[in-house]
Every structure is written in C-alpha cells, then in structure tokens.
C-alpha cells in the first residue's frame, strides 16, 4: 500500500489525519459494540414486555433468539457498506453505520410493549435488531481500513490497535452500565422500565461519535484511487473473482479470532458462576475488568510489537500461546480459591486474545488491495465471526455436556487457535500493499 507521504501530503498532515482516524475509529467501535451488545445483557429484563408467556424462561429464550438474528444481517451489511466504502468512500460508509446503529438503539429504548401495540412490538424489535446487525457488519473493518490507509508504516500497528480495543471497551461498557443501572434501580424497576435507560444513553454517545467522524477525511489511499479513476464498480465480483484465496484465508483467521474472543466475552461469566459459585454481579465484574484492562493495556502494546517485529510474527506467537495455555487457564479459573487469581487467569486469557486480534486484523487489511479492501476485510470478518463466535456459547455448552468437564469450552479455543495458525501461515500480503518503509515486515 502506498504510504500517505507518497501521495503528496506532509508528514505532519499525515500524523494528524491518522490520529483523527484512530480516535474516531476507537470511539465509533465503542459506541457500535456498546449498542450491539446491550441487547443480550438486557434481554432478561425486557423479554416479558415483548414476548409475554406463562413461562419466563420461554420469553427470555425468544428474546435471545432475536439477538441471534442480528448475526444474519452482518454479512449483508459487510457487502452493502463494503460497496459504499470501496466505491464512494470509507468516511461515508462509517458515517452511515454510526447514525443507523444509534437510531436503532434509541428506538429500542422507546419501543412500546406488547401490551401497548400487540404483535407489532416483537416484529419491530426483530427489525431493529436486524438493523443493528446490518450496521455492525460494516463498522469495525471499515474503521480499521480507514486507520490503516491513513497511517505511516512506522505507527500503523499502534494506531490500528485502538479499533479492536474500542469493540472490547464497548462490550465492557455495556456490562458495566447494565450492572450499575440494576444496582441503582433494582431488579423489579429494571424489568418495569429501567432497561430502557442504557438504550437511551446511545443518543449522546452517537452524537459525540458523529461529531468526530464529521471531522475526518477519506484515506489518502482511497483519494489516490479516486483521482486515478481506479475505483471498482463491482467490489464483490472482483473480490470473489481475483482474491478468493485471501477471502477464504482471512475468513479462517476471523473464525479463529472470534472463537477465542467470544468464549471469553460470552461464556466466561457462566463458567465462573458454575465453577466458583460466584454471583452474577461478581462474575460480571471480573469479566468486565479483564476485558477492559486487556483492551486498554494489552492491545496498544500488541500494536507496538507489530510495528517493531511484524504482524505475522506477533500473530503466530499469539496463536501458539492460546493453543497451549487456554486449557490450563480454564482449569485455573475453575480451581483457584482466590478472586485475584481467578481475575489474573481470566485477564491472561483475554490478553492473549487481544494480541491475536490486533495482529490478525492487520494481517487481514494487508491481504486485500485498496480497491476491495473494505469489502474483503468486512466480509471475511463477519462470516468468520458468525462461524467462530456466534455459535461459541452453544458449542461450549455441548462440549461440556459431552465430556462432563466444566473446562471443555477451552477445547473450542484450542481448535480455533490451530485453525488460526494455519491461516496465518497461508496468508500473503496483497500485491503493492507494503511500501519500501514496510519492506522489513512485508512478510510479517
């Protein structure tokens, strides 16, 4: 990829544009994943309002089934926003995703219940959830594309690391806000109307993110493509026709990253409750802190390592570490009698996942040429996330049932790590991706 300096911009301008893109990417992914993950944390409270049933468990399961529908829309969002990003501009696509996601979340907070409008309530709920999934499909990889294309080779890793950090902070923020609101209002009030407040908080968060993204410019790489009239009219066709290997390999890598991360993000709380007997609030606090600290501390360090020794080397180390340590760490979380030791084990699991994620995302961005980069990274990311992450809680439960081992979810992580190891070894940078300044890490 041509560096920003090569398109006639000064180093100072490049640095300022890269920082703005990085901050806006971070803020956007925080808001998007706060909005997106709120649903699952609040479903237990609002399920009865939209899916009335004599059995509260049936209502909750129906609400969680709607949560899963959001994943269906993610590949569609990847294709649509990828097309916008590769044809019109990265900035335009990212403006649309944050506005639509914020609007859908706000409407969820204002949605009348089944008692007020009947069957229209769950129908609208499903539609809003589909919109959220649709937007999530184009957000994170689009933000990463803009940051990567706006950054110099020497600082690409550290700046790009803020984008995946934003998603983890979004998950942790949603957990924290729901926990705090429940503590203040109480369970009964939350089930009555309190569940609406975390959704309504999306409005000011969206406005802040929109302000940051309005100040962005499109990446120098996209601007160069546009000025030379090399914008593709059919990014999906070009991707499937000429870059199938990269698409398949990066889908495998995304499967691996999601398989590791989603077990920690979604299964960890349940695991701590069952093995340690922790209350939901204690288990959620441990999970939220481990996720947040790994995002704030480890992801930037992983970005620095990528800049120093190369994305491929860092990712391979992360994959090997996860395959070797996942099971021992699960055993430690289940057997340790100390909350501090449990937290440290959980944190180490999420820290390794953070290293994988930062380096893996950069490998993905490098695997597609600029003309189809938004579409390629978004499509591979979302298909891999569905295969490796969306089914992680179900597969983890099945592994536990089949083996009788509470630590069985670690088997899924180990398997995902081995898939990722193969994907990294097969990955190749797209022709013309690396500039002379990147030559030392072109194969890394």
């Amino acid at each position: 990829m041509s560096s920003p300096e090569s398109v006639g911009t000064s180093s100072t301008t490049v640095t300022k544009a890269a920082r703005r893109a990085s901050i806006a990417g971070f803020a956007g992914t925080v808001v998007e994943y706060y909005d997106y993950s709120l649903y699952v944390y609040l479903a237990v409270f609002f399920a009865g309002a939209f899916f009335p049933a004599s059995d509260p468990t049936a209502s909750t399961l129906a609400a969680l089934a709607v949560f899963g529908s959001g994943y269906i829309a993610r590949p569609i969002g990847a294709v649509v926003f990828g097309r916008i990003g590769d044809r019109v501009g990265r900035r335009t696509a990212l403006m649309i995703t944050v506005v639509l996601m914020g609007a859908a979340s706000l409407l969820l907070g204002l949605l009348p219940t089944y008692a007020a409008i009947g069957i229209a309530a769950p129908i609208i709920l499903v539609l809003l959830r589909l919109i959220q999934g649709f937007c999530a499909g184009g957000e994170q990889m689009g933000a990463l594309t803009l940051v990567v294309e706006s950054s110099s080779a020497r600082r690409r890793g550290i700046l790009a690391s803020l984008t995946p950090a934003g998603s983890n902070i979004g998950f942790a923020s949603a957990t924290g806000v729901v926990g705090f609101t429940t503590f203040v209002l109480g369970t009964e009030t939350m089930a009555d109307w309190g569940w609406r407040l975390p959704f309504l908080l999306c409005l000011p968060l969206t406005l802040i993110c929109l302000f940051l993204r309005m100040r962005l410019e499109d990446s120098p790489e996209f601007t160069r493509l546009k000025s030379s009239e090399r914008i593709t009219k059919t990014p999906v066709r070009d991707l499937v026709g000429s870059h199938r290997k990269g698409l398949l390999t990066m889908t495998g890598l995304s499967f691996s990253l999601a398989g590791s991360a989603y077990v920690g993000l979604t299964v960890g709380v349940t695991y701590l409750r069952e093995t340690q007997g922790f209350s939901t609030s204690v288990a959620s606090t441990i999970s939220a802190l481990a996720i947040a600290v790994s995002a704030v501390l480890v992801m930037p360090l992983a970005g620095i390592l990528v800049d120093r020794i190369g994305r491929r080397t860092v990712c391979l180390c992360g994959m090997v570490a996860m395959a070797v340590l996942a099971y021992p760490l699960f055993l430690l979380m289940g057997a340790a009698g100390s909350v501090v030791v449990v937290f440290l084990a959980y944190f180490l699991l999420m820290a390794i996942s953070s290293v994988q994620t930062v380096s893996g995302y950069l490998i993905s961005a490098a695997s597609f040429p600029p003309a189809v980069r938004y579409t390629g990274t978004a499509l591979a990311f979302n298909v891999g996330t569905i295969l490796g992450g969306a089914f992680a809680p179900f597969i983890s439960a099945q592994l536990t049932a089949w083996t009788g081992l509470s630590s069985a979810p670690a088997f899924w992580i180990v398997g995902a790590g081995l898939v990722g190891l193969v994907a990294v070894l097969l990955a190749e940078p797209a022709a013309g991706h690396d500039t002379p300044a990147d030559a030392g890490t072109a194969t890394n």
Side-chain angles (χ1 to χ4, degrees):
M1 182 183 73
S2 298
S3 69
E5 290 89 347
S6 69
V7 294
T9 54
S10 70
S11 177
T12 302
T13 301
V14 167
T15 301
K16 185 181 294 186
R19 286 176 179 169
R20 283 185 177 179
S22 184
I23 293 171
F26 171 77
T29 51
V30 169
V31 173
E32 289 270 350
Y33 280 84
Y34 169 82
D35 291 1
Y36 189 72
S37 59
L38 268 182
Y39 185 102
V40 71
Y41 299 129
L42 292 171
V44 67
F45 297 112
F46 67 68
F50 297 104
F51 300 96
S54 57
D55 182 2
T57 301
S59 299
T60 301
L61 289 174
L64 290 176
V66 175
F67 170 77
S69 70
Y71 283 97
I72 298 173
R74 288 181 65 156
I76 301 172
V79 171
V80 172
F81 287 112
R83 182 179 178 86
I84 295 171
D86 284 330
R87 293 194 61 187
V88 182
R90 284 63 160 124
R91 177 180 178 273
T92 300
L94 293 172
M95 294 277 285
I96 298 172
T97 61
V98 73
V99 170
L100 280 180
M101 178 69 89
S105 299
L106 178 63
L107 290 174
L108 275 173
L110 299 173
L111 184 60
T113 64
Y114 187 94
I117 61 174
I119 192 64
I123 291 175
I124 296 173
L125 184 68
V126 171
L127 291 175
L128 291 175
R129 188 60 194 166
L130 288 171
I131 291 173
Q132 286 188 319
F134 177 73
C135 294
E139 165 60 31
Q140 194 169 22
M141 289 298 106
L144 180 78
T145 296
L146 181 60
V147 174
V148 165
E149 293 181 349
S150 300
S151 307
S152 66
R154 293 185 299 275
R155 304 192 64 197
R156 188 171 296 145
I158 180 63
L159 291 174
S161 70
L162 293 184
T163 299
S167 65
N168 280 17
I169 293 296
F171 274 111
S173 298
T175 306
V177 169
V178 172
F180 178 76
T181 308
T182 304
F183 175 77
V184 172
L185 298 180
T187 303
E188 291 186 5
T189 303
M190 282 293 290
D192 186 21
W193 58 268
W195 60 267
R196 297 182 184 273
L197 296 181
F199 282 121
L200 297 179
L201 181 60
C202 297
L203 178 59
L205 293 177
T206 299
L207 292 176
I208 293 170
C209 183
L210 182 61
F211 170 75
L212 291 173
R213 290 195 168 174
M214 287 178 66
R215 301 176 67 220
L216 292 178
E217 298 177 357
D218 248 316
S219 71
E221 189 65 55
F222 181 81
T223 302
R224 185 183 183 190
L225 285 174
K226 191 172 183 179
S227 63
S228 61
E229 298 183 350
R230 292 190 289 120
I231 300 292
T232 178
K233 295 182 179 179
T234 55
V236 175
R237 182 185 300 176
D238 293 353
L239 185 67
V240 174
S242 303
H243 306 286
R244 285 191 297 273
K245 180 182 177 182
L247 183 61
L248 291 172
T249 304
M250 290 307 102
T251 298
L253 179 57
S254 178
F255 167 89
S256 175
L257 299 177
S260 300
Y262 273 63
V263 171
L265 292 170
T266 62
V267 179
V269 174
T270 302
Y271 180 75
L272 293 182
R273 284 202 310 260
E274 294 177 352
T275 60
Q276 292 284 359
F278 289 145
S279 65
T280 299
S281 59
V282 172
S284 297
T285 300
I286 292 173
S287 175
L289 286 175
I291 294 168
V293 174
S294 65
V296 172
L297 296 182
V298 179
M299 284 189 172
L301 289 176
I304 292 172
L305 279 175
V306 167
D307 288 333
R308 290 180 179 271
I309 65 176
R311 55 189 177 254
R312 189 166 181 263
T313 300
V314 174
C315 200
L316 286 173
C317 290
M319 293 295 175
V320 171
M322 186 63 84
V324 172
L325 295 177
Y327 189 69
L329 288 174
F330 260 79
L331 289 178
L332 184 58
M333 283 192 290
S338 167
V339 173
V340 174
V341 175
V342 171
F343 168 77
L344 290 175
Y346 202 138
F347 166 72
L348 186 54
L349 185 71
M350 296 309 301
I352 298 172
S353 175
S354 296
V355 172
Q356 292 177 308
T357 298
V358 171
S359 53
Y361 281 14
L362 286 163
I363 289 174
S364 184
S367 297
F368 301 99
V372 296
R373 180 171 291 136
Y374 198 132
T375 302
T377 54
L379 191 56
F381 170 74
N382 285 285
V383 173
T385 295
I386 291 173
L387 297 176
F391 298 108
F394 173 78
I395 292 174
S396 295
Q398 287 299 309
L399 288 172
T400 300
W402 291 336
T403 63
L405 299 172
S406 59
S407 55
F411 298 152
W412 181 245
I413 298 180
V414 172
L418 295 176
V419 171
L421 191 63
V422 174
V424 174
L425 292 173
L426 292 176
E428 297 178 358
H433 168 78
D434 290 302
T435 65
D438 291 318
T441 59
T443 60
N444 279 333

